[in-house]
Amino acid sequence: MSNKNWSAPQSLDFIPTGKLVTFTAMHQAAYEQYIQITDENGKPITFQTLSGSNCEFPIHGQGQTVGFFENGTGKFTMRKGLQIQFANSGSHVSLVAVANPNLFFINGKTFGGGTLYVTEDGGGTDYNDTSFVLQWFEFEG
């Protein structure tokens, strides 16, 4: 989707090569939000569009019928050189903040890790437009 104002690419090299990576994306913005994972040549290997038509604030109700978040999920296998980028249907380049990557342990052994990305689509400084959780696992199955 090269016709978008993509944020600067951010490396995913903190994830070990060959690991299964899953992600979940949620948003609550009026603009459509776009997320892509690109290979070492900048070619998208996965792409998500989060529709701006279902946002509602404040949240009413509970459970799956709230209608507040439009979700996107996916998976890929990590390889060297993969990067992530964000965009939106507005006129501004998405601002991106990322948490420090974390590992999780069970009895002292690494079982996986992950991190959180949040975006601002250019209209403010609240970074509440997209929440993108990326996690990887040491073992599959």
Side-chain angles (χ1 to χ4, degrees):
M1 307 286 327
S2 59
N3 58 341
K4 307 273 183 259
N5 277 336
W6 289 104
S7 63
Q10 296 194 25
S11 173
L12 296 177
D13 282 344
F14 60 89
I15 302 168
T17 300
K19 299 302 180 189
L20 172 67
V21 181
T22 62
F23 60 84
T24 302
M26 298 180 291
H27 88 296
Q28 64 88 33
Y31 291 127
E32 284 190 339
Q33 307 292 311
Y34 309 106
I35 305 161
Q36 68 179 7
I37 307 292
T38 60
D39 67 13
E40 61 278 1
N41 298 314
K43 179 181 175 188
I45 64 167
T46 184
F47 179 83
Q48 297 290 322
T49 299
L50 306 177
S51 169
S53 63
N54 291 337
C55 69
E56 181 180 319
F57 193 82
I59 299 173
H60 297 287
Q62 58 185 342
Q64 296 182 356
T65 61
V66 171
F68 183 65
F69 290 119
E70 187 74 20
N71 296 318
T73 61
K75 64 181 179 176
F76 59 92
T77 300
M78 184 61 195
R79 62 183 193 259
K80 188 167 176 51
L82 295 187
Q83 298 181 313
I84 187 169
Q85 289 180 282
F86 297 86
N88 65 79
S89 62
S91 60
H92 300 289
V93 173
S94 293
L95 303 175
V96 181
V98 61
N100 289 329
N102 287 301
L103 297 177
F104 65 88
F105 305 96
I106 300 174
N107 296 325
K109 184 172 183 166
T110 302
F111 274 73
T115 195
L116 167 69
Y117 294 83
V118 292
T119 70
E120 172 53 47
D121 59 21
T125 57
D126 50 13
Y127 285 83
N128 67 346
D129 297 316
T130 301
S131 171
F132 184 87
V133 177
L134 185 142
Q135 56 192 18
W136 62 270
F137 300 96
E138 185 67 27
F139 307 101
E140 293 182 39

